[in-house]
Amino acid sequence: MECYFEKENIFTFDGKGELLLTIMSSLAQEESRSISENVTWGQRKRFSDGKVSVGYSQFLGFDKGEDGNLKVVPEQAETVRLIYKMFLEGKTTQGIANYLIEHGILSPAGKKTWRSSTVASILTNEKYKGDALLQKRFTVDFLTKELRINNGEVPQYYVEGSHEAIIASEEFEAVQEEMARRKELGRAYSDKAFHSKIICGDCGGFYGRKVWHSTDKYRSVIFQCNQKFKNENRCQTPTLTEDEIKQRFLTAYNDLMGNRSTVLADCELIRQMLCDTTALDAEMQREHDEMTVLSELMQTHIKKNASVAQSQEAYALETERIEKRYNAAFEHYTALEAERYRRVCKSKELTAFITMLKKQPLVVTEWDERLWITLLDTAAVKRDGSIVFRFKSGIEIIK
């Protein structure tokens, strides 16, 4: 069937039609590419200028202010604070989602349903602490409009204090740390498992919740090593009740806070001494320079072989030598990078611990799940029944 394009005066059965359509489609595609590049340039210019833009219609807690920046919506901000509070009290993202649904709290999209992933995205979005990471995603192709997560393909910009915060910075960092810890635990974590920090001093495994005499009047709940009857050499650590563990933690906490000023000073000293990256940065730069030199040397080596006749055996030996040097430098650089990342994370952890500790009461008499999660690293049960409470500062108190 023939088609006639009136505006262009083209008949598809005409011998010239196919050529004209090809030319015009190419022009249209080029125009589309040009428009896309202009829009992309505009967006990236805004990012480089530190201007924050979000999809306000589905962004809980913020609206667009008169100055074009993010403005806190008080009612929605309370929901965000509730989500962070519940997470630091031990709830899972799914547990929080269920709670929000049961209490009729609307999602960012204004719906009555919540997903675990939505809660997780709120808990990991830096905008809630007043900062903004710009250009998290980028358009791969201007024709398909495919979006991809930016893993360094295009520049990213991090703007500190770009707008009013809903969540305090130390609380946000405490949530990130707790999320990482739970991820390592995998299925071992549940919103009822405050014992996911209690470990066996014998085997290093987790303590689990067990019910004795579940169907009669002697019913009781205890905690014991999950591997106690699974290992050939049974763990000799004792069973404990939940109340025993909680009471001992409160005692350890009160001991810690009884010497708070010294603890804070020690933590700051540890942070400055053990988390400094100055020497690492210099060493990483040296290895980076070494890799750059070796890359250029390899290129020169390859070009020379292509233009000058030489022994291929000698060429192969030299190639192998350069590759070995490069691989050694790369491995060392990667190790340094991992160590630097560890120190930066530890520095953030200690900074959050210091800030959090300053805000806590000196004496606590009632159980507080938030303190357990934000301040404690592990609680190791020993054979004699004592518990070694290791706080995130590295301080250990035995009770």
Side-chain angles (χ1 to χ4, degrees):
M1 181 181 292
E2 182 180 25
C3 290
Y4 173 61
F5 296 91
E6 291 185 355
K7 183 179 178 182
E8 292 78 12
N9 191 31
I10 297 175
F11 289 91
T12 55
F13 280 4
D14 189 334
K16 302 176 183 178
E18 186 175 349
L19 175 62
L20 290 172
L21 286 174
T22 301
I23 293 171
M24 296 187 72
S25 64
S26 298
L27 292 172
Q29 182 170 314
E30 181 60 24
E31 183 179 2
S32 177
R33 185 193 62 78
S34 177
I35 293 172
S36 176
E37 286 181 351
N38 289 336
V39 172
T40 299
W41 180 89
Q43 286 280 51
R44 291 180 181 171
K45 181 66 169 63
R46 283 175 56 83
F47 291 150
S48 64
D49 292 341
K51 295 180 180 179
V52 182
S53 179
V54 300
Y56 293 99
S57 62
Q58 295 192 25
F59 199 88
L60 190 69
F62 291 107
D63 201 350
K64 189 173 184 179
E66 295 179 359
D67 59 353
N69 208 347
L70 276 69
K71 178 184 72 175
V72 174
V73 180
E75 301 81 6
Q76 295 180 8
E78 286 304 311
T79 301
V80 174
R81 294 189 187 100
L82 174 63
I83 290 171
Y84 275 74
K85 177 176 179 291
M86 291 180 70
F87 186 81
L88 287 178
E89 288 175 350
K91 293 292 184 183
T92 62
T93 53
Q94 187 58 58
I96 296 171
N98 293 340
Y99 177 90
L100 297 172
I101 293 171
E102 289 170 7
H103 288 76
I105 299 174
L106 299 181
S107 71
K111 298 180 180 179
K112 294 181 180 179
T113 56
W114 282 80
R115 295 180 180 274
S116 171
S117 57
T118 304
V119 175
S121 69
I122 291 173
L123 289 168
T124 54
N125 196 318
E126 77 291 335
K127 292 184 179 63
Y128 290 113
K129 67 169 180 173
D131 297 347
L133 177 61
L134 307 179
Q135 199 154 230
K136 294 179 181 178
R137 292 180 176 80
F138 68 102
T139 303
V140 180
D141 186 272
F142 72 94
L143 290 176
T144 63
K145 308 299 182 185
E146 177 192 351
L147 283 174
R148 188 178 296 171
I149 294 175
N150 182 9
N151 291 315
E153 292 87 348
V154 295
Q156 285 187 324
Y157 305 91
Y158 193 92
V159 186
E160 294 185 349
S162 66
H163 54 276
E164 182 183 354
I166 293 177
I167 301 298
S169 179
E170 62 272 9
E171 185 173 2
F172 180 85
E173 294 302 332
V175 166
Q176 308 318 303
E177 184 185 338
E178 177 63 10
M179 289 195 83
R181 188 186 74 85
R182 294 186 190 183
K183 187 175 181 180
E184 288 182 7
L185 293 174
R187 296 185 177 220
Y189 187 86
S190 75
D191 55 9
K192 295 175 182 169
F194 92 98
H195 52 284
S196 63
K197 292 196 175 190
I198 307 171
I199 59 176
C200 173
D202 277 1
C203 71
F206 287 108
Y207 258 52
R209 185 177 184 272
K210 306 291 185 292
V211 179
W212 285 354
H213 300 282
S214 60
T215 59
D216 59 39
K217 62 180 181 180
Y218 299 106
R219 185 182 188 278
S220 62
V221 177
I222 57 93
F223 290 85
Q224 68 179 24
C225 176
N226 289 326
Q227 306 298 321
K228 190 174 184 69
F229 301 108
K230 296 179 182 179
N231 297 330
E232 292 182 6
N233 299 320
R234 290 186 178 181
C235 297
Q236 300 301 310
T237 48
T239 60
L240 296 168
T241 66
E242 185 172 333
D243 288 340
E244 280 182 286
I245 298 167
K246 289 181 176 180
Q247 190 55 52
R248 290 197 208 179
F249 170 73
L250 291 177
T251 306
Y253 169 85
N254 290 333
D255 285 355
L256 179 76
M257 297 301 282
N259 200 21
R260 179 165 64 179
S261 58
T262 303
V263 170
L264 291 173
D266 289 345
C267 286
E268 182 57 36
L269 184 62
I270 292 170
R271 191 188 71 79
Q272 292 177 6
M273 291 179 61
L274 301 183
C275 301
D276 182 65
T277 62
T278 306
L280 280 176
D281 290 337
E283 196 169 356
M284 285 176 67
Q285 186 60 52
R286 285 195 294 272
E287 292 296 351
H288 182 272
D289 293 343
E290 170 77 354
M291 288 188 291
T292 301
V293 169
L294 289 170
S295 294
E296 293 174 354
L297 184 62
M298 179 64 85
Q299 290 178 11
T300 302
H301 178 59
I302 293 171
K303 287 180 180 178
K304 181 181 177 181
N305 186 60
S307 58
V308 179
Q310 60 179 307
S311 167
Q312 290 306 295
E313 183 178 352
Y315 170 76
L317 287 173
E318 180 64 10
T319 301
E320 184 180 1
R321 187 186 70 81
I322 296 173
E323 284 180 346
K324 282 183 177 179
R325 282 183 59 189
Y326 183 90
N327 290 337
F330 179 76
E331 286 178 11
H332 190 206
Y333 181 89
T334 303
L336 292 170
E337 192 174 38
E339 175 59 21
R340 188 184 190 283
Y341 177 76
R342 187 194 67 78
R343 292 189 188 185
V344 169
C345 289
K346 188 62 180 178
S347 178
K348 287 183 178 180
E349 181 181 327
L350 283 170
T351 301
F353 179 86
I354 291 168
T355 307
M356 198 73 71
L357 205 65
K358 288 178 180 178
K359 296 181 178 181
Q360 305 311 322
L362 289 175
V363 178
V364 174
T365 57
E366 294 183 357
W367 173 252
D368 188 337
E369 189 102 20
R370 190 185 183 93
L371 294 178
W372 173 270
I373 290 174
T374 57
L375 300 182
L376 187 68
D377 188 10
T378 57
V381 182
K382 299 301 182 181
R383 287 190 178 191
D384 61 2
S386 62
I387 304 177
V388 181
F389 292 98
R390 180 181 177 83
F391 291 88
K392 291 182 178 179
S393 62
I395 294 173
E396 293 183 349
I397 297 178
I398 303 174
K399 289 297 173 186

